[in-house]
């Protein structure tokens, strides 16, 4: 029984290391720095993580609130389809894996701009 558990654990490690080769958001090869993004934020009960570049991770959290990540964007493909994220992905596509730059907060949508503060 222990042997089977060890084999399953080894298979899971191999599978996870194969997934580490590419960023879950931009799908570029990963560099020396890798961060693990909770697909559903921990604050919303998420446990599953995916490897991402630090700049991709900062961009996700700058553009999308945690509640919306949990509700609509737990799948990286859905996140890539979002217009502001797609614009970032077009910009980052030709950058090297360890590229870094400041990340600005996304612009508020129309509903947020109209709300009095």
């Amino acid at each position: 029984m222990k042997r089977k558990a060890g084999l399953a654990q080894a298979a899971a490690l191999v599978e996870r290391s194969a997934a580490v080769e590419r960023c879950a958001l931009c799908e570029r090869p990963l560099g020396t720095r890798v961060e693990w993004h909770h697909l559903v934020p921990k604050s919303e009960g998420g446990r599953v993580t995916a490897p991402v570049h630090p700049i991709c991770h900062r961009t996700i959290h700058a553009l999308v609130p945690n509640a919306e990540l949990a509700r609509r964007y737990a799948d990286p493909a859905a996140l890539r389809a979002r217009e502001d994220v797609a614009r970032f992905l077009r910009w980052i596509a030709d950058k090297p894996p360890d590229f870094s730059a400041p990340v600005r907060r996304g612009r508020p949508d129309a509903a947020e701009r109209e709300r009095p503060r």
Side-chain angles (χ1 to χ4, degrees):
M1 191 66 166
K2 285 184 180 180
R3 183 172 187 270
K4 284 185 180 180
L7 290 173
Q9 187 177 13
L13 275 172
V14 168
E15 189 175 317
R16 186 163 181 147
S17 67
V20 173
E21 295 176 12
R22 298 224 170 251
C23 175
L25 182 65
C26 71
E27 299 179 327
R28 295 178 302 135
L30 290 167
T32 56
R33 292 199 52 225
V34 176
E35 293 183 3
W36 292 89
H37 169 65
H38 283 83
L39 298 177
V40 173
K42 283 172 45 175
S43 63
E44 302 291 328
R47 293 177 184 229
V48 177
T49 59
V52 292
H53 296 105
I55 192 169
C56 294
H57 199 201
R58 288 191 314 268
T59 299
I60 290 168
H61 289 289
L63 297 176
V64 187
N66 281 351
E68 199 172 339
L69 277 172
R71 224 181 359 249
R72 294 184 183 166
Y73 299 109
D75 178 19
L79 193 56
R80 284 190 291 274
R82 189 179 152 118
E83 186 179 333
D84 50 0
V85 175
R87 187 174 38 246
F88 164 76
L89 294 175
R90 286 190 299 274
W91 175 76
I92 199 81
D94 61 347
K95 308 289 188 278
D98 286 321
F99 177 78
S100 181
V103 174
R104 291 184 289 165
R105 286 257 174 229
R107 294 185 196 134
D109 63 0
E112 286 183 46
R113 281 181 285 197
E114 294 173 9
R115 186 174 359 138
R117 295 187 185 227

